[in-house]
Amino acid sequence: MLRITDARTGEPVEAAPARRGLTRVEAHATGFDTTALRVLLVADLLVRALELGGTPVWALLSGERDQAELRAGAAALGIRPFEDTRDVGGPGLGETQVLRVAAGGRAAPDAEGGSRVAHGGVWVAVAPVEAGPDPAAAGDDPAVLRFALLARRRDRPVRLDAATLGEARDTLADWRRAVATWAREPSRPIPDEVRADLRAAWEDDLDVPGVLRVLRWVRTEPDLPDGARFETFAYADRLLGVDLARDLGSLA
């Protein structure tokens, strides 16, 4: 069961108290910048993690400014589309939980300076992004930026300098090559303990760096069959969304 820290109390709560009950995830962004994109990315991860656990999710984007830029930037990062809260009238569709994702320090009922932000729900705080001297170092693959943001816990600031983006680019390239190689081998089931470790990581306050540590172990563990490595990376990418299988069929 996914547990997430409520920024108002500092206490962990169940993200979906009723597993099959509808959960609403709201991303709150007041304008377009990289921190706002990180807020949308964390909301996207919440949606993915809940769906992997069998919970139906309703994803909404709240904000008055730069909506077109936010949606375009989100799409480039592989963030699935949000509905617009301005098109939603009255109460939700019988949801059993509301998760409101916002930049750290803004997790309060008047976070957007108006009455549109409802009281209640669980507030999920996202730390800021400190752009480095050359954020364009991510190159022409938006997944590099997504991976760099994923590599840091959501409650800790991340600096997008050339070194951070270069490490993300190199790791993605290595993992994609490996996945393409493993895909040639017969499929093997994901070991039960590996699946449990992956889920334990992302269900612990959305610890995505913990997920990446499990994948690094799977990448190098000599006793795992390649078919199991492939299935493990494909499964984890349902959460990560960085297109780890992109290079399938590209190797000679």
Side-chain angles (χ1 to χ4, degrees), residues 169-190:
R169 183 177 57 250
D170 293 345
T171 301
L172 258 185
D174 173 67
W175 285 6
R176 284 168 169 169
R177 283 193 302 268
V179 168
T181 299
W182 299 333
R184 299 175 173 182
E185 302 300 323
S187 177
R188 293 290 186 271
I190 301 171

Side-chain angles (χ1 to χ4, degrees), residues 4 12 53 78 141:
I4 201 79
D141 182 1

Side-chain angles (χ1 to χ4, degrees), residues 50-141:
L50 288 166
E51 289 179 343
L52 282 167
T55 299
V57 186
W58 184 26
L60 300 170
L61 174 60
S62 177
E64 299 296 330
R65 296 190 293 111
D66 303 334
Q67 288 279 304
E69 293 86 350
L70 280 167
R71 292 182 183 278
L77 286 182
I79 297 171
R80 292 180 290 185
F82 295 90
E83 293 187 51
D84 193 332
T85 54
R86 291 172 295 185
D87 297 333
V88 177
L93 301 176
E95 65 268 9
T96 60
Q97 180 70 288
V98 180
L99 303 173
R100 309 183 195 278
V101 186
R106 292 180 51 249
D110 61 350
E112 297 200 52
S115 61
R116 287 188 180 275
V117 180
H119 292 250
V122 175
W123 284 92
V124 180
V126 179
V129 175
E130 304 169 0
D134 185 17
D140 58 1
D141 182 1

Side-chain angles (χ1 to χ4, degrees), residues 2 13 19 63 74-75 84 131 138 158 163 190-191 193 225-226 232:
L2 174 61
V13 299
R19 181 178 177 186
D84 193 332
V158 58
I190 301 171
E193 63 274 19
D226 286 348
T232 300

Side-chain angles (χ1 to χ4, degrees), residues 9 29 33 35 84 100-101 108 121 142 171 174 185-186 198 224-225 240 251:
T9 65
D33 59 20
T35 296
D84 193 332
R100 309 183 195 278
V101 186
T171 301
D174 173 67
E185 302 300 323
L198 288 171
L224 283 179
L240 301 176
L251 299 181

